Amino acid sequence: MSHDVTYAFATRLVGLGRPVREAGAPAGPGIELSSTYVAGDGPTYGRYTNRTWESLEQVLGDLEGGRALAFGSGMAAVAACLELTPQGGTVVLPRHVYNGTTSLVDELAAAGRLVARRVDPTDTEAVIAALDGADVVWLESPTNPMLEVSDLPTLVAAARARGVLSVVDNTFNTPLLARPLQDGADVVLHSVTKFLAGHSDVVLGALVTGDEPLHTRLHTHRTLHGAIPGPHEAWLALRGMRTLHLRLERACANAAELADRLSGHPSVARVRYPGFGAIVCIELAGGRAAAEHVEESVRLWLPATSLGGVESMLERRRRHPAEPVSVPEELVRLSVGIEDVEDLWRDLDGALRA
Ligand code: PLP
């Protein structure tokens, strides 16, 4: 399939990133296992490029509306973006974001590499006020795990007007639910590990930008830091992405139904659900012990960290010491998968009542 933006997302997800259509060509890309290439025109060395990564990058770049670069993990992509901060520069970020990002920002701040300015991402005026004199604004909407939602178009426009580089972690949304580059964001980040790959069998990251000099800087970072994915991982992620639209549609429908039922549940004090996406968080009326009990009692839901797989998972987030203390002890994050919703409900309801 040739690049054609008149095709819908579903068609582009399925058709892009395939070998040139000619007699005898394979239907899909192979796993290119080569550390080096015959000298001349074309690829030179396996740390600079790889045709399996390129297939994945073609699909993701098309969907986000920019040029994509695959990284060895979501955190490798986070590190590459933070490196865009000038020495001693200021990064504005939500008080709750993915705790790996928080921890890395804290480490860099402690080392004097950057200054972190934390904000309430739902308070648009406060975020805009914090942009003065800043170099980078980091946005994640909804945030992990508090599911706080920001006004992304307003914030990226404000950042652009002030010359502040905006990075949006779009892991929870995927380009099917949000396309921050279209709002004017400079860089979009993905933990491809999650919904994009979708099968809990690969760790991979990606960055997408519409800005050519930025793409070059990020590519140079990936090459010189060796933050590259394995070809096998890239292939698995691309294979997973072929069904993203179907998986996400089902997972989101399941999540909406469960959020609705949970809001009337006697064991649940609060449901956090932004009204879209496949992540729902609940706060247990019985506190931390009740949350731990749910983790131990479920039989179908997988008690595990991570999210975005076909299988439903749940986790009490504060079991991680890196999670900020402002995240309630009794908060359980549900990553809703694509199973039968009645089976998911029976298992969860049983664990909540046990
Ligand atoms: N961003 C978000 C929102 C995440 O949830 C995660 C991982 O959970 C990451 C980034 C880091 O990605 P990875 O685990 O692929 O390194």
Side-chain angles (χ1 to χ4, degrees):
M1 180 187 135
S2 61
H3 175 89
D4 182 343
V5 288
T6 64
Y7 285 128
F9 274 3
T11 311
R12 281 144 62 193
L13 266 170
V14 172
L16 287 173
R18 294 187 183 272
V20 174
R21 187 183 294 202
E22 58 193 13
I31 306 175
E32 185 163 276
L33 295 171
S34 189
S35 61
T36 193
Y37 296 85
V38 178
D41 287 343
T44 51
Y45 186 58
R47 184 159 40 77
Y48 306 161
T49 192
N50 170 283
R51 278 174 284 227
T52 315
W53 309 344
E54 285 173 6
S55 292
L56 169 72
E57 289 166 351
Q58 199 197 343
V59 180
L60 184 57
D62 174 87
L63 292 180
E64 288 285 10
R67 278 184 80 187
L69 285 166
F71 281 75
S73 66
M75 280 310 298
V78 170
C81 284
L82 289 174
E83 196 64 32
L84 297 170
T85 317
Q87 175 60 34
T90 296
V91 178
V92 175
L93 75 162
R95 56 193 173 180
H96 307 109
V97 282
Y98 169 57
N99 69 38
T101 305
T102 301
S103 300
L104 182 54
V105 166
D106 286 347
E107 283 217 356
L108 294 171
R113 171 69 182 80
L114 53 78
V115 175
R117 221 178 256 172
R118 290 200 160 73
V119 289
D120 172 355
T122 65
D123 185 342
T124 305
E125 290 310 312
V127 182
I128 292 174
L131 294 177
D132 276 338
D135 299 282
V136 174
V137 58
W138 195 277
L139 296 164
E140 195 181 278
S141 175
T143 55
N144 182 6
M146 298 290 265
L147 303 184
E148 295 151 319
V149 175
S150 300
D151 179 351
L152 280 184
T154 301
L155 293 180
V156 295
R160 184 162 288 270
R162 289 161 181 76
V164 178
L165 190 99
S166 57
V167 178
V168 180
D169 185 332
N170 205 26
T171 300
F172 273 32
N173 294 321
T174 85
L176 300 190
L177 299 184
R179 299 178 77 217
L181 294 184
Q182 313 314 304
D183 294 329
D186 292 299
V187 185
V188 162
L189 184 147
H190 282 283
S191 169
V192 179
T193 313
K194 309 297 192 301
F195 291 101
L196 295 182
H199 294 74
S200 307
D201 53 8
V202 63
V203 173
L204 202 110
L207 295 175
V208 194
T209 178
D211 181 282
E212 218 28 56
L214 213 43
H215 177 270
T216 304
R217 278 180 75 186
L218 294 167
H219 185 272
T220 302
H221 174 102
R222 181 178 75 175
T223 302
L224 297 182
H225 288 249
I228 56 170
H232 191 205
E233 282 76 5
W235 187 89
L236 276 171
L238 176 58
R239 180 176 159 133
M241 276 177 65
R242 300 292 187 202
T243 55
L244 173 65
H245 49 305
L246 300 177
R247 289 185 285 105
L248 200 67
E249 194 180 309
R250 175 63 172 267
C252 290
N254 282 353
E257 178 62 27
L258 293 178
D260 190 43
R261 295 188 193 186
L262 285 163
S263 60
H265 201 286
S267 306
V268 176
R270 177 170 181 181
V271 177
R272 291 175 182 265
Y273 171 61
F276 60 92
I279 308 294
V280 179
C281 291
I282 51 175
E283 291 169 24
L284 278 288
R288 172 182 171 161
E292 285 172 341
H293 188 70
V294 168
E295 286 185 304
E296 288 155 14
S297 307
V298 282
R299 292 288 167 266
L300 173 57
W301 291 73
L302 193 68
T305 199
S306 201
L307 55 99
V310 288
E311 60 285 88
S312 293
M313 292 176 214
L314 53 75
E315 178 183 41
R316 190 180 76 83
R317 285 301 288 175
R318 280 291 299 283
R319 80 187 176 97
H320 299 286
E323 204 64 66
V325 293
S326 47
V327 173
E329 286 274 17
E330 65 276 17
L331 182 143
V332 174
R333 187 184 68 195
L334 311 176
S335 170
V336 182
I338 65 170
E339 302 93 335
D340 181 88
V341 73
E342 297 302 336
D343 288 337
L344 289 174
W345 175 249
R346 240 190 339 271
D347 190 44
L348 189 57
D349 179 48
L352 286 167
R353 288 177 195 277

